[in-house]
Amino acid sequence: MEEIDHAPLMFELNGDRQLVPPFNPEFRLLLVDDDARMLGSLCELLKGLGHQLTTASTGKEAIEQLSRMKFDLILLDLRLPDMTGHQIMDFVRDHGIDAHVIVLSGDTAIEAAIGALERGAFGYLRKPYDPRELLKLVDNARQRTYLEAHNLQISSRLERSERLYRYLIDNSPDVIYTLNHEGKFSFVNKRVNALLGIDRDELIGKHYSELVHEDDMDMATNVFNERRSGDRASRNVELRLKCLTGLEGERYFNNTLITIVLNSTGVYTRDKAYAKHEFLGTYGVARDITDRKRADELVTYHAYHDVLTGLPNRILFKDRLSIAMSQAKRERAELAVMFLDLDRFKRVNDTFGHAKGDELLQQVTARLQAAIRGGDTLARLGGDEFTLVLPNLHTRRDAEAVASKILENLRAPFEIDKQPLHISASIGIAIFPGDGETIDELLRHADIAMYQVKSMDKDSYHFYDSKIINSSHQKIILEQSLRNALTQGELEMYYQPQVDATSGEMVGVEALMRWNHPARGLLGATEFIPLAEEVGLMIPLSDWMLSAVCTDLSKWNRVCPSELKLSLNLSPQYLDRGNFPEKLSEALTLHGILPQQIEVEITENISIRSPQQAMEQLEKLCRLGVTIAIDDFGIGYSSLSYLHQFPIHTIKIDQAFVREIQSASGHYPVVLAIIAIAKGLGLRLVAEGVETEIQSHYLEQSGCGTMQGYLYHEPMSGEQLLQMLHKHTALSAQG
Ligand code: C2E
Ligand code: CA
Ligand code: CA
């Protein structure tokens, strides 16, 4: 027997050379022949290959074997006693048996061969066969079986891995896509549906630019057209894409945009045949970072905004201001910084509670915003303090216009707890660069200007004036020393007599406060009373005054009992909040003084704050038996209406009118009118600031008999007055 070549065979799969093993023990053969001798020699021939051999000598037997187990190859005799080989092949085919068939036939008729080949026989050998040919054919069948099994395995593995990749790609949290050389989508995974609300099939063939937010188009053009690959390709480029729906659940900000970070790379042919690789398109992966982005934005937002009003906070304000300042500097332009503080906001908080206070601040914010332009920055520094930058100022008028508009916008009542509520603001304005070249300087100066408004009329605005800084500095010092003055006993009451012009008799005195300032000497009331009013010192000052005048008056009463009328100047603040009638009544009782000896001087502004309350207080005083005088009569606008509203006994003609009387032959209609009014209403009249004989004469001639002024007496200390009284009683006693 010749050498049979059992050498291993190489075959190529996917470009790799693979080895087919020379035999595999699993290879099963079914040998079918009714000729026992033939079967025996077949077994003899094949057994050396190590295959598993099974024999059958009838068709029935063969079919039984085929039904029982799996065979890879059938060596089949066509002519069997019970059936033909063709019938067995039909059985194989009909039952889907995966076995090759080699027909070994003694039949010389061509039909037998054709019938076998038609039924898919792997080989056909005519008996007597050449054993080498048979072995070769069997080995070919074995190799074929092996390759088929192998291919099946591979293709199922491929199918599985293909499915795996598809699964991975479609379930990727990222959008994975390819673009063709024209920038049109050639592939995109399912993720795009959920993310952009666009069906991926719809996207195929569309240009990427249809997805990109207009503002990011330039950047997008670079990444989406990425032609570089490897390390030089685009990495982590942030872009915004348009999205059709808010499928991704609640978004805080913009539902129509998502932010992605994109990595892309150029794709080229792999064909080794070409020296130059052809550009096929771009492959990219886009990750949705919208939520992270928004979380970042939220954090940044809170770091730079006031939570209550949503306005920029101090940090962002300073940032915007510094940008506006650099711009103004470049353009040699001016800008305005405003400091705005609500007037009496504390009272709202105290009355309605903080929640309502917050509500008011929100309402105020809306009105402030309505007064400013797009480029202006309104910020809340905290509490009821707001700041405003107006860049690009043409003139100061621009700032004035905005300030007026703001005050105007605040004028209509707000609604808190269904109640109308009025609130005004004080605004200080500083101009860059004139009023300061740094942020802090500008803010400080606007703040000082704002305080200037606060201390005066409120509900108004003021430009910063460098002179204010000095006076306000002085004010602080003065305030501190005035507080000390109270405790150190530096205050003293002076008294200025009121004289009956005809008789020359002293009919009363007006109490005037003085401050023995340790450094500046004796200060008149005008030098510290306005400050005391401003800083809220008027109540302790008035308390002190009340007890001082009562002490002095009780001393004088011992010299000339109950004759002297004492006039007190009453601070509006004291009347407002000082329980003045009660305190006065207490003090009078304590010092044994009759209320009839006291006159209270009020000015018109007493009723500006709360006329109803002023009226009630004054009525209480009247009921005590105290009389009331209107001080500085004629200079205000509501003097006349007072006369009807309040229980008045005395009118004091203001110094300004008295000063006008300069000629004995002159005619002074205002003075005459005031005198006529007093006469008509049966009121007592006192002329103030009488310095000359002409004045005294004119007034007396016109019907005003009581005078107060330097012509008669300058204000004097309690001690001096006491001595004067002593002298007077001594003279009367002599007379
Ligand atoms: P007033 O009530 O109009 O007081 C009269 C002011 O005129 C006093 O100034 C007095 O010294 C001054 N005077 C008197 N005679 C003449 C005169 O012939 N010519 C001129 N040019 N002035 C004269 P004073 O004491 O400086 O007081 C200024 C203002 O301060 C007072 O105006 C009054 O409104 C207020 N004031 C003074 N003392 C008190 C006080 O104890 N309590 C309160 N609440 N206010 C006071
Ligand atoms: Ca007075
Ligand atoms: Ca006066």
Side-chain angles (χ1 to χ4, degrees):
M1 202 188 254
E2 275 177 63
E3 261 304 298
I4 291 170
D5 182 14
H6 285 155
L9 190 107
M10 303 299 284
F11 71 100
E12 200 149 306
L13 182 81
N14 286 359
D16 294 332
R17 284 175 75 76
Q18 306 230 352
L19 192 68
V20 176
F23 54 82
N24 58 23
E26 246 89 277
F27 196 62
R28 293 166 175 273
L29 283 92
L30 177 63
L31 313 175
V32 187
D33 206 318
D34 57 339
D35 184 341
R37 220 168 31 87
M38 279 300 273
L39 265 184
S41 75
L42 259 181
C43 287
E44 199 57 34
L45 183 66
L46 295 169
K47 78 177 180 216
L49 296 175
H51 300 320
Q52 293 185 29
L53 305 175
T54 306
T55 57
S57 49
T58 64
K60 184 171 170 266
E61 229 179 286
I63 282 176
E64 272 170 14
Q65 294 292 358
L66 283 168
S67 312
R68 234 185 42 226
M69 62 169 140
K70 184 188 174 323
F71 291 95
D72 298 304
L73 179 63
I74 306 163
L75 295 186
L76 184 63
D77 181 21
L78 276 189
R79 216 182 284 151
L80 296 167
D82 51 348
M83 59 178 79
T84 66
H86 289 158
Q87 283 174 302
I88 293 178
M89 287 179 87
D90 288 342
F91 176 86
V92 166
R93 186 196 56 215
D94 293 346
H95 289 79
I97 292 166
D98 189 17
H100 290 299
V101 177
I102 295 173
V103 173
L104 302 171
S105 172
D107 201 334
T108 51
I110 190 74
E111 288 77 21
I114 290 172
L117 293 174
E118 269 175 357
R119 287 174 174 80
F122 182 77
Y124 188 94
L125 284 182
R126 194 168 298 137
K127 291 180 190 168
Y129 50 81
D130 180 344
R132 275 179 306 186
E133 247 180 278
L134 177 70
L135 283 176
K136 191 153 190 206
L137 208 51
V138 167
D139 199 51
N140 282 352
R142 180 188 65 83
Q143 282 181 25
R144 172 78 69 86
T145 305
Y146 177 82
L147 289 180
E148 278 169 359
H150 192 77
N151 281 346
L152 194 70
Q153 212 181 4
I154 297 226
S155 69
S156 86
R157 218 193 286 158
L158 275 177
E159 199 183 304
R160 258 184 295 147
S161 74
E162 158 79 13
R163 255 186 293 146
L164 179 67
Y165 284 131
R166 207 151 255 291
Y167 177 84
L168 292 178
I169 286 191
D170 280 340
N171 288 282
S172 159
D174 301 333
V175 170
I176 299 169
Y177 67 88
T178 57
L179 298 178
N180 67 12
H181 61 286
E182 294 174 308
K184 293 178 175 165
F185 284 98
S186 48
F187 171 84
V188 61
N189 67 346
K190 266 195 203 158
R191 175 67 177 142
V192 80
N193 294 24
L195 203 61
L196 299 182
I198 302 172
D199 198 77
R200 67 162 152 179
D201 297 332
E202 262 177 61
L203 210 53
I204 302 297
K206 290 231 166 81
H207 197 258
Y208 69 83
S209 58
E210 292 187 34
L211 295 184
V212 179
H213 183 253
E214 290 73 18
D215 295 352
D216 292 351
M217 203 56 86
D218 286 347
M219 202 156 31
T221 310
N222 293 331
V223 246
F224 277 107
N225 288 320
E226 185 56 77
R227 281 173 174 260
R228 294 167 302 183
S229 59
D231 292 345
R232 290 166 54 242
S234 293
R235 297 246 170 265
N236 301 324
V237 179
E238 261 185 48
L239 282 180
R240 282 165 300 166
L241 300 185
K242 292 186 269 197
C243 89
L244 294 186
T245 57
L247 286 178
E248 284 291 289
E250 282 297 307
R251 300 271 205 213
Y252 312 112
F253 299 84
N254 187 337
N255 278 321
T256 59
L257 284 183
I258 64 160
T259 309
I260 54 157
V261 53
L262 189 59
N263 288 289
S264 71
T265 172
V267 180
Y268 292 85
T269 47
R270 280 244 198 141
D271 205 329
K272 288 170 196 141
Y274 298 97
K276 211 174 143 209
H277 291 197
E278 195 192 342
F279 176 67
L280 292 178
T282 308
Y283 156 77
V285 177
R287 171 158 299 182
D288 173 23
I289 56 161
T290 313
D291 288 339
R292 193 191 78 200
K293 209 62 196 158
R294 284 175 183 170
D296 289 352
E297 277 169 25
L298 204 65
V299 168
T300 329
Y301 182 84
H302 283 313
Y304 293 108
H305 288 82
D306 163 48
V307 183
L308 178 67
T309 59
L311 291 177
N313 63 10
R314 187 185 294 267
I315 301 169
L316 184 55
F317 176 79
K318 286 189 168 183
D319 187 57
R320 298 257 177 94
L321 178 54
S322 96
I323 292 169
M325 279 162 65
S326 342
Q327 194 185 341
K329 210 177 232 168
R330 271 200 307 278
E331 294 168 6
R332 294 174 190 285
E334 286 190 319
L335 67 81
V337 174
M338 288 191 189
F339 207 110
L340 183 149
D341 191 290
L342 299 181
D343 300 329
R344 302 178 197 93
F345 177 71
K346 192 180 168 298
R347 225 164 53 184
V348 177
N349 262 348
D350 292 347
T351 315
F352 296 94
H354 283 270
K356 296 292 169 190
D358 285 354
E359 209 179 300
L360 179 66
L361 286 174
Q362 287 168 335
Q363 291 185 32
V364 165
T365 300
R367 299 225 191 146
L368 296 180
Q369 273 168 329
I372 63 174
R373 300 161 304 183
D376 304 340
T377 298
L378 175 69
R380 178 173 173 242
L381 298 197
D384 59 344
E385 287 179 352
F386 295 84
T387 47
L388 183 61
V389 186
L390 309 177
N392 284 327
L393 215 60
H394 293 302
T395 68
R396 289 184 163 227
R397 285 267 172 77
D398 293 353
E400 256 171 347
V402 173
S404 308
K405 180 120 190 267
I406 287 175
L407 296 174
E408 185 56 42
N409 282 5
L410 295 179
R411 213 141 282 159
F414 290 87
E415 201 186 278
I416 291 294
D417 260 354
K418 300 222 169 68
Q419 286 181 48
L421 190 112
H422 288 270
I423 195 129
S424 59
S426 300
I427 303 176
I429 310 170
I431 304 289
F432 170 86
D435 296 338
E437 296 197 39
T438 66
I439 292 175
D440 289 338
E441 213 180 347
L442 281 168
L443 274 176
R444 200 174 62 243
H445 288 172
D447 189 30
I448 288 170
M450 186 274 290
Y451 266 103
Q452 189 71 5
V453 181
K454 278 255 183 259
S455 66
M456 295 159 75
D457 11 326
K458 299 194 170 73
D459 190 14
S460 180
Y461 62 86
H462 244 283
F463 282 91
Y464 171 73
D465 177 352
S466 57
K467 279 175 241 141
I468 300 174
I469 200 170
N470 297 324
S471 71
S472 61
H473 182 66
Q474 278 174 8
K475 241 187 232 170
I476 294 166
I477 295 174
L478 198 64
E479 182 191 337
Q480 194 46 49
S481 45
L482 185 54
R483 286 181 197 279
N484 289 342
L486 258 173
T487 53
Q488 303 292 313
E490 291 167 11
L491 297 177
E492 188 178 351
M493 290 314 292
Y494 268 51
Y495 302 93
Q496 185 176 34
Q498 296 171 343
V499 178
D500 182 292
T502 323
S503 65
E505 290 273 309
M506 180 165 67
V507 293
V509 291
E510 179 180 0
L512 298 162
M513 201 180 287
R514 296 290 178 264
W515 179 6
N516 287 301
H517 194 279
R520 294 163 61 196
L522 191 70
L523 300 182
T526 43
E527 290 180 80
F528 62 93
I529 295 280
L531 175 76
E533 295 263 10
E534 190 182 320
V535 300
L537 272 175
M538 224 36 228
I539 291 174
L541 238 59
S542 303
D543 284 343
W544 171 85
M545 174 206 63
L546 206 51
S547 117
V549 295
C550 287
T551 310
D552 285 343
L553 186 56
S554 63
K555 279 186 205 161
W556 306 330
N557 278 347
R558 272 175 246 138
V559 181
C560 56
S562 308
E563 275 171 17
L564 210 56
K565 186 114 178 157
L566 182 100
S567 287
L568 294 176
N569 289 288
L570 182 61
S571 146
Q573 286 183 11
Y574 204 49
L575 189 71
D576 253 7
R577 299 191 278 256
N579 291 333
F580 177 63
E582 290 77 8
K583 282 180 179 172
L584 178 65
S585 149
E586 241 172 68
L588 295 180
T589 315
L590 186 70
H591 292 91
I593 297 166
L594 294 174
Q596 288 72 21
Q597 259 194 289
I598 304 294
E599 182 154 88
V600 171
E601 296 188 5
I602 58 167
T603 52
E604 288 159 300
N605 58 14
I606 221 156
S607 74
I608 287 171
R609 287 158 204 251
S610 44
Q612 191 54 40
Q613 203 204 337
M615 176 98 80
E616 283 166 15
Q617 299 286 87
L618 293 179
E619 271 163 3
K620 270 192 206 166
L621 289 174
C622 277
R623 282 197 295 274
L624 275 179
V626 168
T627 58
I628 293 166
I630 294 195
D631 209 352
D632 309 335
F633 189 88
I635 56 164
Y637 56 91
S638 59
S639 305
L640 291 173
S641 68
Y642 265 89
L643 300 176
H644 293 290
Q645 282 178 31
F646 295 154
I648 305 293
H649 306 88
T650 306
I651 285 177
K652 294 187 81 174
I653 304 173
D654 191 69
Q655 301 186 9
F657 303 118
V658 175
R659 207 176 300 130
E660 277 178 19
I661 306 170
Q662 292 187 356
S663 144
S665 57
H667 179 66
Y668 304 98
V670 181
V671 175
L672 297 179
I674 294 172
I675 294 172
I677 290 166
K679 287 251 144 85
L681 294 171
L683 302 175
R684 198 168 79 96
L685 260 173
V686 180
E688 279 191 302
V690 182
E691 294 181 347
T692 63
E693 293 286 356
I694 292 173
Q695 290 164 348
S696 154
H697 188 72
Y698 185 87
L699 288 160
E700 199 192 349
Q701 290 295 302
S702 307
C704 171
T706 311
M707 316 278 169
Q708 182 184 344
Y710 297 164
L711 179 65
Y712 301 94
H713 299 281
E714 290 199 13
M716 60 188 81
S717 68
E719 194 53 41
Q720 285 171 316
L721 188 78
L722 187 64
Q723 282 175 16
M724 211 174 90
L725 288 175
H726 272 303
K727 233 183 267 172
H728 184 77
T729 33
L731 279 175
S732 328
Q734 276 174 16

